[in-house]
Amino acid sequence: MASSLTKDPAAPSAEKTFFGHPRGLATLFMTEMWERFSFYGMKALLLVYLLSGGPDAKKGSLGGGIGMDEGTAITVFSIYVSMVYLLALPGGWLGDRVWGPRKTVTIAAVTIMSGHIILALPGGATFFVGLALVALGSGLLKANISTMVGQLYKDANDPRRDGGFTIFYMGINAGAFFAPLIIGTVGQKVNWHLGFALAAVGMGIGLVAFLLGTKNLNPVSSVVPKPLSAEERTSWIRKIVAVVAAVAVFYTAVAMAGMFTKAWATIPLTLIGLIIPAGVLIRIKRDKDLNRDEQSKMTGYIWFFVAAAVFWMIYDQGASTVQSFGETKASGALLGFEFPSSWYQSLNPVFIMALAPVFAWIWVWLNRKGNEPSTVGKFAAGLFFVGVSFFFFLVPIGLAANGQAVSPMWLVGIYLIQTVGELCLSPVGLSVTTKMAPAKYASQMMGVWFLAVTAGDSITSLLSDPAVFGIDLNGTSAVAIEATLAVLAAAAVFMYRKKVKTLMGDVR
């Protein structure tokens, strides 16, 4: 990370650079790496902490957790992830209309750190407050820090731009890789709350790095692009106060009547995670300001959105359903070396870092031969691989049926196959979202893409919630049905690829 005085055609000759990029990239790289360290460390601990002390906890595991059954734990975990991505939409809005990206990231980092500090305190009630703060802060930060990376390159055609985002992406995966190994080990082997405290320290380091390096950022990041007028601000404050008051009165009445259960919290949040994505897509699709070409592209985009929701529904179970299986039914040792189940969450980032350059080379090589798959084809491949990962999952589930702990290598295989699917679908999804966005919604469409994750995890929550369907997602039938659904969705996308390509217009 050493800076150098390298000469760059797009920068002043005396400008300090970070591997040939604007120096501000180092600031954002460090901020994001440590934020992801805190986020993925807590995420690796979350499911096993919720299970600890409950009926489905692994015998001999560290006690002192929340003590939930597996179905409820997966429900809470899925709601948490869905809210993180749902809140990216208002997070982007606050950056655009209220605080500006730089101030929003600062507030987000403080919120995340506060949430982790509260998680480090013993007690079930404070735990959920901390979890809510981490979700809120993560949503605020997600869209705005990526915006600031783009702002470092004053020329949209700067040839360093794509490389800058690649370096930034490596920071994400570096933080995600080390977090489970450090935070997961301390949390599972020493003390849960000490693990959560380490997550707070990680975010604290990221916040300090950001504040010290703000001088290297583009001054535009401090500007509110489209500030609210006084009338708009007053209107929004009134709406927010009214909604908060209504919710407070309603839940106070429910509690006083002695009717409150976890379902009163989980079911509304799950429905919000389904209704808002659907409502946003419908609102954009029905906007009369869109011309015929934009309408056509939005119809095509809905195909991608639904496919992505199915993909993320299964993929994100790698940290819930599959993680739970690894904690309770897989051996905690390999070649005589014992390890905590949270380490499974380091597999995806290491596979990403190893395979992403390979996939980039494959796409370029196929393109030169005129055989590179289309965007639709890559989406179909992503769905197919995530379905195959769950067909593969059926094997260790069957082996564990007799009560014997299965080899952890089965889970390594699941994460590897899912990563291949992710590399087919996720980068393409980000790209096609920007290309197919109507001009009116250009700055909002990335938040819309994140809503596919919200929808997918909300479906998982609905299926797992004992108060709704209560399906055992680690059961043979559920895993087989999800795997089949993904493969059938892949087949449908591929079969109708010509229709989708037509709807996409000039986008390829």
Side-chain angles (χ1 to χ4, degrees):
M1 296 181 187
S3 64
S4 62
L5 298 177
T6 56
K7 199 157 185 173
D8 189 292
S13 58
E15 180 191 8
K16 290 185 177 181
T17 64
F18 176 67
F19 294 117
H21 292 267
R23 184 62 184 165
L25 184 61
T27 299
L28 299 178
F29 176 95
M30 290 292 291
T31 304
E32 181 71 353
M33 183 181 72
W34 284 106
E35 187 274 331
R36 292 291 88 181
F37 176 86
S38 69
F39 177 84
Y40 281 102
M42 188 278 290
K43 186 178 177 182
L45 282 182
L46 181 55
L47 196 282
V48 286
Y49 177 69
L50 293 172
L51 288 174
S52 179
D56 298 314
K58 185 177 183 178
K59 291 182 180 179
S61 62
L62 189 65
I66 300 297
M68 291 181 176
D69 61 89
E70 185 180 68
T72 304
I74 292 174
T75 298
V76 171
F77 179 92
S78 300
I79 289 174
Y80 164 72
V81 176
S82 73
M83 290 298 106
V84 167
Y85 287 91
L86 176 64
L87 290 166
L89 201 62
W93 182 86
L94 286 167
D96 285 343
R97 306 296 309 276
V98 182
W99 294 320
R102 189 183 299 189
K103 187 175 181 179
T104 304
V105 166
T106 304
I107 292 170
V110 171
T111 303
I112 293 169
M113 187 171 64
S114 301
H116 286 308
I117 291 172
I118 293 174
L119 288 174
L121 303 174
T126 55
F127 173 82
F128 290 105
V129 173
L131 199 62
L133 286 175
V134 175
L136 175 61
S138 298
L140 288 174
L141 185 139
K142 187 170 288 294
N144 287 284
I145 196 163
S146 296
T147 297
M148 285 194 290
V149 174
Q151 289 173 342
L152 293 174
Y153 305 93
K154 299 174 183 179
D155 182 356
N157 297 317
D158 190 325
R160 301 175 297 168
R161 190 182 182 92
D162 287 349
F165 274 99
T166 299
I167 294 173
F168 180 72
Y169 191 60
M170 294 302 287
I172 293 174
N173 284 286
F177 170 70
F178 287 109
L181 303 181
I182 299 172
I183 295 175
T185 301
V186 172
Q188 278 192 272
K189 296 297 184 182
V190 182
N191 182 279
W192 296 111
H193 301 289
L194 183 57
F196 292 130
L198 283 178
V201 171
M203 187 66 262
I205 294 172
L207 175 60
V208 170
F210 182 74
L211 294 176
L212 292 177
T214 51
K215 62 181 180 294
N216 297 314
L217 302 177
N218 190 328
V220 172
S221 64
S222 294
V223 176
V224 182
K226 189 181 177 183
L228 291 172
S229 65
E231 293 79 10
E232 287 177 316
R233 188 180 293 270
T234 301
S235 175
W236 274 106
I237 291 174
R238 286 175 179 171
K239 289 176 182 177
I240 292 170
V241 170
V243 170
V244 171
V247 171
V249 170
F250 176 78
Y251 277 97
T252 299
V254 171
M256 291 179 66
M259 298 169 57
F260 187 83
T261 63
K262 286 187 179 74
W264 282 99
T266 59
I267 294 176
L269 287 173
T270 300
L271 293 177
I272 287 171
L274 292 171
I275 292 170
I276 290 181
V280 169
L281 286 174
I282 291 171
R283 178 174 64 84
I284 295 175
K285 183 69 180 69
R286 297 180 64 181
D287 191 332
K288 295 181 180 179
D289 289 341
L290 304 189
N291 59 41
R292 180 176 296 181
D293 180 59
E294 290 175 325
Q295 285 283 357
S296 176
K297 288 178 180 177
M298 277 307 302
T299 301
Y301 185 75
I302 290 172
W303 277 79
F304 291 112
F305 186 93
V306 173
V310 174
F311 176 88
W312 296 117
M313 176 186 72
I314 297 175
Y315 178 89
D316 277 348
Q317 288 183 56
S320 57
T321 304
V322 180
Q323 172 82 355
S324 175
F325 182 89
E327 166 69 7
T328 59
K329 296 177 181 177
S331 172
L334 184 65
L335 301 175
F337 178 77
E338 294 188 3
F339 61 92
S341 63
S342 53
W343 282 24
Y344 287 118
Q345 299 311 308
S346 286
L347 290 172
N348 172 255
V350 77
F351 287 149
I352 287 284
M353 288 188 284
L355 295 178
V358 176
F359 269 73
W361 177 84
I362 289 173
W363 299 142
V364 172
W365 180 70
L366 289 174
N367 181 268
R368 288 172 180 168
K369 289 179 169 292
N371 295 321
E372 183 183 0
S374 65
T375 297
V376 183
K378 291 176 182 177
F379 249 76
L383 280 168
F384 173 78
F385 280 114
V386 84
V388 169
S389 76
F390 262 35
F391 278 125
F392 188 84
F393 190 16
L394 291 173
V395 179
I397 288 176
L399 293 174
N402 60 6
Q404 295 295 316
V406 302
S407 168
M409 291 306 295
W410 288 106
L411 277 77
V412 173
I414 294 170
Y415 290 114
L416 175 60
I417 298 169
Q418 288 190 342
T419 301
V420 171
E422 179 187 3
L423 289 169
C424 289
L425 181 141
S426 185
V428 177
L430 291 168
S431 176
V432 80
T433 296
T434 58
K435 291 176 181 177
M436 296 177 69
K440 182 177 179 179
Y441 297 97
S443 62
Q444 300 178 40
M445 283 299 288
M446 197 55 68
V448 174
W449 168 252
F450 290 140
L451 291 181
V453 184
T454 296
D457 280 286
S458 294
I459 294 170
T460 299
S461 173
L462 204 62
L463 295 174
S464 182
D465 196 336
V468 188
F469 293 107
I471 295 173
D472 177 12
L473 294 181
N474 265 322
T476 302
S477 297
V479 172
I481 290 172
E482 289 187 78
T484 303
L485 173 65
V487 172
L488 289 176
V493 170
F494 187 75
M495 285 174 58
Y496 287 92
R497 63 190 183 282
K498 291 183 179 179
K499 178 179 180 180
V500 178
K501 285 180 184 178
T502 300
L503 291 169
M504 291 170 67
D506 58 354
V507 175
R508 289 292 177 267

